[in-house]
Amino acid sequence: MNKKLLILPLIAIIGFQSCKNEKKSTEEAKTQEIKLVSPEFNADSAFAYTKAQVDFGPRIPGTAAHQKCADYLVAKLKSFGADVKIQGAKTSTYDGKSFQLKNILASFNPEKKNRVLITAHWDARPFSDQDTDPANHKKAFDAANDGGSGVAVILEMARQIQQKQPNVGVDFALWDLEDYGKANDETPDETTWCLGSQFWAKNAIATGYKAMYGINLDMVGGGSAQFTQDEISRQAAPDVVSKVWNIGSEIGYSSYFVSIQSGKLVDDHFWMNKAGVPSIDIIHYNDNSGFYINWHTQLDNLANIDKNTLKATGQTVLETIYREK
C-alpha cells in the first residue's frame, strides 16, 4: 500500500475541515458582533414557562386546568410589575356551549402615549381534530406550541421589561377562546374562532385604545419553524412586517423570518386591525405545507418544542420593541 497516496487525501480532508471551522468561527464572530439594544431573551426561561402551562393539563375553557393556568398567568405577570386585569363576559361557542371568557391584559408604563401591543392566545383546543388517527379526534392535547409557546415568549419578555424599561409602553394581551372554532368555518371572517380578540376589539373601539402597532404570536415554538408574511399582515401593516422581518434577519434569524408571502389567514391580528391597531401575525405557516406539522394533534406536546425557535421569536420581538423611540 502506498502511504504517500493516503497522505494526500488526508491533507485535503484536514484542509477542508480547517476551512469549515474557519467559516463557522467567522459566522459566530458575526453573530457576536451584532449589537442588540434589547436585553438577551432567555430561551431556557421561555421553555420553562411553556412547561408550566402544559403541566396544568390542556387549558380548555370551563376546566380546572384552564382556571389554574389563568391564576398562574395573572400572578406571574403581576410579579413582573405589570398592571394586570381580566377582561371577559359569558360567551357562546359555535356548538351552543357558554363559557366565561377570560382575556388576560397586562400593561407596562401605562402613562406612556407611544405603545406596542404584543398578543397570543392561552387557551387549548378541546379536540385533536387534525390527528392522523381518527380515534384521537375527540381527545384533548397539550397545546404546547399552539397556545403555550406564544404565552411563554410573552412571559419571558415581561420578565425582561421589568429589568430594563424600553422607551415605549408595552401592552400584552393573552386571548381566551381563540381555538374553540368550527372546523371548516365558512363564514366570511371565520367568526367562530378568535372569540377573545373579537371581544377585546369591540371594547378597544369603545374605549379609544391606541397603539402604534400590534404583533400576534401563534405557534412560535416548533422545530424548523418558518414565519411567512400573510396577506392580512402585508395589507394592514406592511411597514410593521418589513420592520420585524428585517430585524429578525439582521440579528441572525433569517431562516425563521423568511421573505415568503402567504395567503389570507384570519387570526387574532385580523381583529386587532379591526380595532384600529395596525397588526401582524408571526405564525408557523406557509401555503404549501399549511400550519405547524403537529397542529391540533396529540403530538403538539413539550417534546416538540424547540428552544431555538422560542429564542428567534422572542429576541426579534424584544429587539423591535427596544428600538422604538
Side-chain angles (χ1 to χ4, degrees), residues 19-307:
C19 288
K20 276 181 69 178
N21 289 339
E22 283 177 15
K23 185 180 178 185
K24 187 178 178 183
S25 297
T26 303
E27 288 173 353
E28 286 175 353
K30 282 181 181 176
T31 304
Q32 289 169 4
E33 283 171 14
I34 297 165
K35 298 293 184 186
L36 296 175
V37 297
S38 57
E40 185 174 348
F41 183 90
N42 188 320
D44 290 333
S45 177
F47 185 85
Y49 294 141
T50 309
K51 182 180 185 300
Q53 295 169 79
V54 169
D55 284 349
F56 288 114
R59 286 82 60 212
I60 297 167
T63 64
H66 186 264
Q67 181 59 55
K68 287 176 182 176
C69 189
D71 294 342
Y72 165 80
L73 295 172
V74 169
K76 211 69 183 166
L77 288 163
K78 283 183 177 178
S79 77
F80 298 142
D83 290 340
V84 185
K85 66 177 181 179
I86 293 180
Q87 173 197 64
K90 282 285 184 183
T91 303
S92 297
T93 47
Y94 76 92
D95 54 0
K97 294 179 180 177
S98 181
F99 299 98
Q100 179 63 40
L101 176 75
K102 294 172 183 169
N103 288 335
I104 299 169
L105 310 179
S107 292
F108 287 88
N109 297 316
E111 73 285 352
K112 288 186 182 286
K113 185 178 178 182
N114 289 338
R115 313 196 63 74
V116 175
L117 174 64
I118 312 295
T119 69
H121 77 89
W122 71 275
D123 63 308
R125 184 162 178 76
F127 11 79
S128 313
D129 49 327
Q130 297 298 320
D131 200 279
T132 53
D133 183 355
N136 290 330
H137 285 185
K138 293 185 179 180
K139 293 180 182 178
F141 60 100
D142 290 341
N145 192 26
D146 193 1
S149 63
V151 173
V153 167
I154 281 176
L155 289 178
E156 173 57 11
M157 285 195 287
R159 188 177 76 86
Q160 295 294 344
I161 287 171
Q162 182 184 33
Q163 296 173 30
K164 180 186 176 183
Q165 297 292 329
N167 298 314
V168 294
V170 180
D171 298 316
F172 293 117
L174 306 181
W175 311 122
D176 194 11
L177 280 170
E178 187 270 355
D179 225 355
Y180 205 128
K182 182 180 181 182
N184 304 315
D185 183 342
E186 294 179 357
T187 59
D189 297 329
E190 300 176 22
T191 51
T192 65
W193 300 82
C194 302
L195 301 183
S197 53
Q198 288 187 57
F199 183 89
W200 173 89
K202 290 174 185 174
N203 280 271
I205 292 168
T207 59
Y209 174 81
K210 301 292 180 190
M212 296 187 296
Y213 56 85
I215 300 173
N216 186 61
L217 310 176
D218 200 347
M219 291 181 274
V220 293
S224 304
Q226 282 196 332
F227 306 130
T228 59
Q229 302 171 355
D230 74 283
E231 183 180 307
I232 291 171
S233 297
R234 297 194 322 269
Q235 291 181 351
D239 55 332
V240 185
V241 171
S242 295
K243 178 189 298 194
V244 173
W245 263 252
N246 287 341
I247 289 173
S249 180
E250 179 192 328
I251 66 174
Y253 302 116
S254 57
S255 64
Y256 296 90
F257 291 87
V258 293
S259 297
I260 297 172
Q261 295 186 350
S262 50
K264 183 180 179 182
L265 195 63
V266 177
D267 201 356
D268 293 301
H269 69 313
F270 177 78
W271 301 103
M272 293 155 68
N273 279 299
K274 288 283 189 185
V277 179
S279 299
I280 67 167
D281 209 18
I282 298 178
I283 185 169
H284 189 159
Y285 172 86
N286 71 50
D287 287 340
N288 294 323
S289 58
F291 292 111
Y292 166 63
I293 192 170
N294 298 315
W295 175 65
H296 294 175
T297 73
Q298 291 290 298
L299 290 175
D300 184 1
N301 55 36
L302 201 65
N304 289 314
I305 292 295
D306 189 332
K307 291 179 185 178

